[in-house]
Amino acid sequence: MYLWWIVKLTKDARFSTLCLHAGQEPDPTTGAIITPIYQTSTYVQDALGRHKGYEYARTQNPTREALERNVAAIEGGLQGFAFASGMAAIGAVATLLKAGDHVVVSDNTYGGTFRLFDKVLRKYALSFSYVDTADLAATERAFTPETRMLFVETPTNPIMRITDLAAAAALAKRHNARLVVDNTFASPCLQRPLEFGADIVVHSTTKYLNGHSDSVGGIVIAVKTDDIEWLRFVQNAEGAILSPFDSWLVLRGTKTLALRMAQHNANGLALAQFLDGHPKVKKVYYPGLPSHPQHALAARQMRGFGGMLAFDLGTLASARTLLNSVRLHALAESLGGVESLISHPATMTHASVPADKRQALGITDGLVRISAGVEDVDDLKDDLTQALDRV
Ligand SMILES: Cc1ncc(COP(=O)(O)O)c(C=O)c1O
């Protein structure tokens, strides 16, 4: 399924080779090895009705197209569509639905996704049920005859619950619904949902795909002809496209995805083990720990456990002291960049989730989330040690 024919890649090219080369050719004008930033709004036509395949930059842009081919290849999909943000990408996927349709969604989905579904799309006669998609029986019970989409995040943010992707795909298929997976947390380096039978993958490229905390974007990867045709139409019709410069940044980012993810994995695991053994830490959430309830499933469907982890310090006061004491970990929302970030889900990323729902999801006031960057892990441990000493 890889788009290996776009450049001189063999059909058997491996993941890191695809990351570097898929979807890109030396620039036809100069031979530049890096796809240029085609910063143009329009294209001059040779004669009336004769052009080079490019008419207007909302519709076609070579830099964006290179990125779309690249991410489609590394996700094992057929076509990518890049958008101005992860939320714009998810909004475009939602246009595959029509009034009256019902969607089953991971209950711990990203807050912005919940906000889009709950505050915007319900106005258009779509309905949503939120369920722990790690529990397949409960997920199936949430289906109705109108269910046309199962929207899954795995691992979830910040509690790192894992959904069995092959089982979720089979369930969606039985009910004539699409399985859409938000693969932002894992990245295609660690998990490729299309290989398990998912129909569509979405990403906030803002996170691991770009990887350098300097661009906001999103991408949708599809495999079915009808979905591809519709998404191409909607990308142009709604116009929430990724800019040429951002496309170029993300394309540069994916070149090092495999390298970066190896370090994120190593640092994530080392920090999880370190925190797990620390007397002031009540609980650690990381799928790479054997104590994680779905460790075996994560090991089966992921190639590494990633750089995201969360831990509970018991109280808001302890969490606050830690967050105000770290020096190397930056106190910030977002994730997936080369720099380590630390955050307080209850008051930051999940502040809009009602307190009782937060509690039910395990997002306590003492919970702290880390996006482990690629620094030397001993420096990260030293930073956490000095901050935990103050708790
Ligand atoms: C899992 C997940 N999906 C989607 C989004 C939305 O992406 P963006 O902020 O690029 O719109 C985010 C943002 O944090 C996210 O974490």
Side-chain angles (χ1 to χ4, degrees), residues 85-87 90 110 153 182 184-185 204 206-207 216-217 335:
S85 68
M87 287 320 305
I90 293 169
Y110 170 62
E153 256 178 64
D182 183 334
T184 300
F185 255 50
S204 165
T206 315
K207 312 300 181 329
V216 171
L335 60 112

